[in-house]
Amino acid sequence: MYAITIREPGDPDVLEWTEVPDPRPGPGEVLLEVAASAVNRADLLQRRGHYPPPPGASETLGLECSGTIAELGEGVEGWNVGDEVCALLAGGGYAEKAVVPAGQLLPVPGEVELIAAAGLPEVACTVWANVVMHAKLTEGEVLLVHGGAGGIGTHAIQVGKALGATVAVTAGSADRLESCRQLGADLTINYKEEDFVEVLKKETGGAHVILDNMGASYLSRNVDALQQDGRLVIIGMQGGVKGELNIGSLIGKRASVFAAGLRFRPLDQKAAIVADVRERLWPLVSEGAVKPIVGQVVPMAEAANAHRILEEGSVFGKVLLAAKS
């Protein structure tokens, strides 16, 4: 088969479409004929040599994919060869074939096209695990989503609205904010021109839940933006890794700060998240209340171009890689 390999850590040009050995499924795994994968910011870090995969995971980039089951490993039940699925991966999506633990498979929901389904597993599991399973966002609460125009952000807007929350987002341009409004965002804030804390407090009194991709640079301001009993969930470090936290402010609000990734979780935790997503979120996707937002589809062999697109920051939603053009 062919897969994207990294010649050496560096810029997008180090990505090459190379012939490599076919993977084989072990016990409890399935082999997929990959239809598409998606580009995530973690892939950009791994390409630069800063985010190696977990021990035992594929060295190939790609944290999610869609495709058709080609082979079942020993002991796999509930799935059949030929099933169209999408999958959460620890690596291996940028390839014509991928091996996936059966517990990380999801059926392609409703009327979603197979290619578009490749952009669902990572955002769905990330948003659902953090905003719903951990922070327990409920109807009537205020959800603030930083980076509302990205893959995570566009998904979180829809999930928040489907659950009956008031959704506020930050983004860096008028057109991206307008696109967020069209997805259902109630309050849009241009972080380049406005103070999100000031605007949020004025319009809503503050957030009950904040989904943050920035990390250190937003830490103290995020705490300021929380309401009483608010929950700050940090899923990214685009703004750095070390910040200062006012414990007094946190205690005064009875607030909590939680930080979590998805890739390095044990298999049983990932399977539990996938199962909850399938039970509670997938019906919303099947009925169209939550949709995959695809900004651009690029041939997988041209993954370098897809990385450039994501790094430029102009795309709205997900960048997908189609295995066959």
Side-chain angles (χ1 to χ4, degrees):
M1 73 168 186
Y2 278 83
I4 291 293
T5 58
I6 303 172
R7 186 174 65 251
E8 60 185 8
D11 294 333
D13 289 339
V14 303
L15 300 180
E16 298 178 337
W17 190 235
T18 309
E19 191 167 8
V20 298
D22 286 13
R24 295 304 308 274
E29 297 177 334
V30 304
L31 177 68
L32 300 186
E33 291 280 355
V34 174
S37 186
V39 182
N40 290 281
R41 292 204 171 271
D43 302 338
L44 310 185
L45 292 173
Q46 184 175 338
R47 188 200 74 223
R48 298 187 193 112
H50 301 317
Y51 192 45
S58 172
E59 295 285 340
T60 301
L61 296 169
L63 300 180
E64 57 192 334
C65 71
S66 62
T68 304
I69 294 179
E71 185 179 346
L72 302 176
E74 181 183 348
V76 174
E77 299 179 350
W79 300 100
N80 298 294
V81 171
D83 287 349
E84 291 191 341
V85 297
C86 52
L88 181 70
L89 307 171
Y94 288 23
E96 292 179 321
K97 298 178 181 180
V99 166
V100 188
Q104 292 167 215
L105 288 174
L106 288 157
V108 174
E111 300 301 315
V112 175
E113 295 182 355
L114 184 59
I115 297 293
L120 280 172
E122 176 75 11
V123 295
C125 291
T126 296
V127 172
W128 196 260
N130 289 288
V131 172
V132 180
M133 296 176 72
H134 181 83
K136 301 189 184 306
L137 179 73
T138 58
E139 183 177 0
E141 290 192 318
V142 177
L143 169 66
L144 171 61
V145 180
H146 289 301
I152 293 287
T154 54
H155 187 81
I157 291 169
Q158 297 178 84
V159 169
K161 293 306 297 179
L163 296 177
T166 296
V167 179
V169 302
T170 62
S173 69
D175 60 332
R176 291 164 78 77
L177 291 171
E178 174 58 29
S179 295
C180 290
R181 282 190 288 272
Q182 292 177 11
L183 276 184
D186 302 287
L187 175 62
T188 56
I189 305 166
N190 189 326
Y191 68 82
K192 294 180 179 179
E193 300 175 355
E194 302 172 285
D195 182 337
F196 73 82
V197 179
E198 181 180 312
V199 175
L200 190 69
K201 284 185 173 181
K202 178 182 177 182
E203 299 295 333
T204 70
H208 297 93
V209 177
I210 298 177
L211 184 63
D212 174 57
N213 61 349
M214 294 301 294
S217 63
Y218 275 18
L219 181 58
S220 62
R221 296 167 68 199
N222 277 332
V223 173
D224 288 344
L226 288 172
Q227 294 197 34
Q228 294 292 314
D229 299 303
R231 291 86 76 194
L232 167 61
V233 182
I234 301 171
I235 58 169
M237 301 175 289
Q238 294 181 42
V241 298
K242 293 184 179 181
E244 190 169 296
L245 181 63
N246 185 329
I247 301 299
S249 178
L250 205 64
I251 291 175
K253 294 184 175 185
R254 301 183 301 276
S256 62
V257 178
F258 174 74
L262 186 59
R263 189 180 194 184
F264 285 83
R265 286 179 183 261
L267 291 181
D268 60 340
Q269 290 188 19
K270 290 182 183 180
I273 291 168
V274 168
D276 208 62
V277 163
R278 182 173 182 175
E279 178 182 354
R280 296 200 285 160
L281 174 59
W282 245 222
L284 298 175
V285 181
S286 293
E287 68 188 32
V290 177
K291 301 177 181 179
I293 305 301
V294 179
Q296 196 160 342
V297 180
V298 177
M300 190 174 287
E302 300 173 17
N305 289 334
H307 276 222
R308 293 188 191 97
I309 290 167
L310 189 60
E311 288 177 334
E312 288 167 0
S314 59
V315 71
F316 184 80
K318 299 280 285 191
V319 179
L320 303 185
L321 299 170
K324 293 180 173 61
S325 56

